[in-house]
Amino acid sequence: MESKYSILLSLLMLQCLSLLCVSQSQDFDFFYFVQQWPGSYCDTKQSCCYPNTGKPSADFGIRGLWPNYKDGSYPSNCDPNNSFNQAKISNLINDMQKNWPSLACPSSNNIQFWRHEWEKHGTCSESALNQHGYFDTALNLKGKTNLLKALKRINPDGNSYNLQTSKLQ
């Protein structure tokens, strides 16, 4: 059981290393593009609820696109005057429901989760991305990142993976 969680933690850390770099003129140094596995989220939380749109597919989903500084800190809630506006991303909603679901309880239509992501993280990326650009960029990164395929290359038979006996050392 412990190895299951250490593998999941390692995968999460690996995903956190997937970065989108931006130019030096930004108010931050880089983005973390973070994805989550629905099953591991639900296994580690006291409660897990699927969105009103139904159970997410057995694939990694977007957790967030987070501006960060090189020293490990990050900005948050940078512009209280730029609230989430669903109308600005109306053409992205279908893709977001599929690729950026909220698993927090109570279940929802994801709007509250996306509002949180925009207001906490997205407003800090305004020097690079407006609200539509923020969500669109995350969706584009998700489309270019196939973690399941990458993991199958590491362990094609689907059995437990043991770092000590791997040929990758």
Side-chain angles (χ1 to χ4, degrees), residues 19-64:
L19 307 176
L20 169 68
C21 296
V22 295
S23 71
Q24 296 292 349
S25 64
Q26 309 308 319
D27 296 332
F28 53 93
D29 297 316
F30 62 91
F31 284 107
Y32 278 129
F33 174 59
V34 183
Q35 295 186 53
Q36 67 184 358
W37 183 256
S40 65
Y41 178 91
C42 294
D43 285 349
T44 59
K45 300 292 180 185
Q46 288 183 344
S47 62
C48 175
C49 296
Y50 298 127
N52 295 343
T53 54
K55 184 177 179 179
S57 63
D59 191 4
F60 286 88
I62 298 170
R63 177 62 181 100

Side-chain angles (χ1 to χ4, degrees), residues 62-81:
I62 298 170
R63 177 62 181 100
L65 182 63
W66 304 335
N68 277 261
Y69 300 120
K70 291 177 189 172
D71 67 4
S73 65
Y74 61 91
S76 66
N77 302 300
C78 297
D79 187 355
N81 296 319

Side-chain angles (χ1 to χ4, degrees), residues 6-22:
S6 64
I7 289 171
L8 293 174
L9 182 59
S10 297
L11 292 174
L12 178 61
M13 295 301 292
L14 173 68
Q15 181 57 35
C16 286
L17 296 176
S18 177
L19 307 176
L20 169 68
C21 296
V22 295

Side-chain angles (χ1 to χ4, degrees), residues 107-148:
S107 61
S108 70
N109 63 0
N110 300 311
I111 300 299
Q112 183 177 347
F113 178 45
W114 301 333
R115 174 178 289 114
H116 162 81
E117 289 300 305
W118 169 251
E119 293 176 358
K120 181 173 182 179
H121 304 289
T123 59
C124 299
S125 67
E126 290 176 312
S127 60
L129 302 167
N130 62 23
Q131 189 173 137
H132 186 276
Y134 173 79
F135 289 106
D136 191 43
T137 297
L139 289 168
N140 285 329
L141 287 169
K142 169 70 170 107
K144 293 177 181 180
T145 307
N146 189 333
L147 288 178
L148 287 179

